[in-house]
Amino acid sequence: MTQPVSPPRGSGTDKVTPVSEAPAWRTLFFRADVRTLSLLGVLAALIVIGGITRPDEFLDTRNLQLVLTQASVIGVVTVGMTFVITSGGIDLSVGAIVALASVWATTVATQEYGFAGILFTAVIVGVGCGLVNGLLIAYGGMVPFIATLAMLASARGLALQITDGKTQIVTVDGVLDLGERDAYVLGIPPLVLVFAVVTVIGWLVLNRTTFGRRTVAVGGNAEAARLAGIDVRRQRLYLYLLSGLCCGIAAFLLIVLSGSGQNTNGNLYELDAIAAAIIGGTLLSGGRGTITGSVLGVLIFTTITNIFALNNLQSDVQQIAKGAIIVAAVLVQRRTANTTT
C-alpha cells in the first residue's frame, strides 16, 4: 500500500503564513475620515480668511462666542436631522416646528409657570409634532417629503395664529439670565454647552448603540432590515420623535438667545440643517451618517455668515457661496463613493 507523501516543508501547503499586520499608527491614519479632515481644512481656511479681512473683529473673543452661540441653535436641529437622513428619510418641517414651539412656550399663560413651564412646553410641542410626523410616515404610509411638508405649512400657520403676527417678549428672569455673560462657564455660553452635550449624546447613540445600528440598517436597505428582525415602522417613528425633540430643545435655545418668541423663528432651518448634514458626509439616500461631519458643516456655514456680516457683503453673495459649497461637497461625496467601490 502506497504511503501518502507529505508535502515538503516550506511549500506553503502545510501551513498558511499569516500576513503581517500594518503598524498601529498607519491603521489609525487610514481609518481617519478623509471628509472630516477636509471639513476641518475648510473651517481652518475660513478662520484664516476672517482673521485676515477683519482681524480685530473676527478674532475677538466675543465674536467667536457669538459664532458658537448662533451655531448651537441650528446645530441641535442638525443632529436630529442627521438621524432622519441616515434612515433614508427627510424632515422639511424642522424650522416650522422650532417656530411653533418657541411661540407656544412664550405665551403669557405659559410664562406664568416660569422657567420650567417654558422649557417643558417647548420640548413637548417639538416632540408632539415629531410624533405626528412619525405616525403619518411610519404607520400612515405617507412619503416623508409630503408628510413633513404638510407639517411645515400647518406649524407655520398655527404659530402665526398664536402670535397674531406679533413678537412675544419673554419676561421670565431665569430664562433671560442664561443669555447674559454672567452665566458663562469658563467663558463658554450655556447654549454652547447644551449643543456640546446634544452632540456627544447624538454621536454615542449613532455609533455605539443598537438604535444607531438599526438606523443605519433601515437607511441602507429597509426590506433587508425588516427581514433581519428590525421593526422598521417603529424605528422610523422613534427617529421623527428624536427630530422633534431636537427642535424643541433648539426652540428653547432660540428663546434664550432672542428673549422672545416669533412666528418667523427657524426660517429656512430645514435647508441649513439638510445642507450641513450633506456636506458633513451623511448620504441623502440613507445608510450612512456622521454627527461629527454635520457639526462641522454647521460651524462652516455659521462662520461664513459671520465673515460676510463683518465685511458688509450682500446676503445674496452669501447664499451663492453656500450653494457652491454644497455642490462641491456632493461632488466630493460621489467621487469618494466611486473610489471605494
Side-chain angles (χ1 to χ4, degrees):
M1 183 174 180
T2 305
Q3 297 292 329
V5 180
S6 301
R9 297 182 61 85
S11 62
T13 59
D14 56 338
K15 185 172 72 171
V16 178
T17 304
V19 180
S20 59
E21 295 182 358
W25 66 267
R26 186 176 300 176
T27 303
L28 292 175
F29 177 81
F30 283 107
R31 285 183 179 179
D33 192 342
V34 176
R35 185 178 295 101
T36 300
L37 296 177
S38 300
L39 291 173
L40 286 172
V42 172
L43 183 59
L46 289 174
I47 293 175
V48 171
I49 293 173
I52 293 175
T53 57
R54 293 285 181 177
D56 295 334
E57 300 174 14
F58 180 79
L59 298 178
D60 183 71
T61 302
R62 293 194 176 189
N63 182 65
L64 296 178
Q65 291 172 336
L66 175 63
V67 171
L68 292 176
T69 301
Q70 292 175 337
S72 299
V73 180
I74 184 61
V76 172
V77 175
T78 304
V79 171
M81 181 69 77
T82 301
F83 277 89
V84 172
I85 296 179
T86 301
S87 70
I90 198 74
D91 192 347
L92 301 179
S93 63
V94 291
I97 294 175
V98 169
L100 179 59
S102 68
V103 300
W104 206 325
T106 54
T107 60
V108 176
T110 303
Q111 292 193 50
E112 291 179 355
Y113 293 93
F115 182 98
I118 293 177
L119 175 59
F120 177 79
T121 302
V123 171
I124 286 299
V125 171
V127 172
C129 292
L131 175 63
V132 174
N133 280 336
L135 290 175
L136 290 176
I137 294 168
Y139 294 95
M142 291 187 67
V143 177
F145 182 90
I146 301 300
T148 57
L149 186 62
M151 176 59 71
L152 183 155
S154 301
R156 282 289 178 193
L158 185 55
L160 179 60
Q161 186 178 47
I162 291 175
T163 61
D164 195 24
K166 300 176 182 178
T167 300
Q168 299 178 162
I169 304 300
V170 177
T171 59
V172 179
D173 293 335
V175 175
L176 298 175
D177 291 343
L178 287 178
E180 300 296 331
R181 296 188 63 83
D182 293 339
Y184 289 11
V185 180
L186 299 177
I188 303 175
L191 275 66
V192 179
L193 295 177
V194 173
F195 176 37
V197 171
V198 172
T199 298
V200 171
I201 294 176
W203 187 90
L204 291 174
V205 171
L206 184 60
N207 296 281
R208 293 291 184 268
T209 67
T210 303
F211 182 87
R213 290 191 291 271
R214 288 175 178 172
T215 301
V216 174
V218 170
N221 190 322
E223 181 61 21
R226 185 186 67 81
L227 294 175
I230 297 176
D231 191 332
V232 175
R233 294 190 298 178
R234 184 173 61 186
Q235 184 70 17
R236 285 174 174 163
L237 173 62
Y238 289 162
L239 288 167
Y240 282 96
L241 283 173
L242 176 61
S243 179
L245 173 62
C246 289
C247 289
I249 296 174
F252 180 76
L253 297 183
L254 192 56
I255 292 171
V256 173
L257 183 62
S258 63
S260 63
Q262 305 176 53
N263 66 287
T264 56
N265 282 342
N267 187 35
L268 297 181
Y269 272 18
E270 56 277 356
L271 298 182
D272 288 343
I274 293 172
I278 291 174
I279 73 169
T282 299
L283 285 180
L284 192 57
S285 57
R288 187 181 70 195
T290 162
I291 298 295
T292 303
S294 296
V295 170
L296 289 175
V298 170
L299 293 176
I300 287 173
F301 279 149
T302 308
T303 304
I304 290 175
T305 301
N306 183 258
I307 292 175
F308 274 65
L310 292 177
N311 288 276
N312 297 319
L313 297 177
Q314 298 293 330
S315 59
D316 54 351
V317 181
Q318 173 185 327
Q319 297 302 324
I320 293 173
K322 285 185 177 182
I325 292 176
I326 294 172
V327 171
V330 172
L331 291 177
V332 171
Q333 189 179 87
R334 292 186 60 183
R335 183 174 181 179
T336 304
N338 293 333
T339 302
T340 56
T341 55

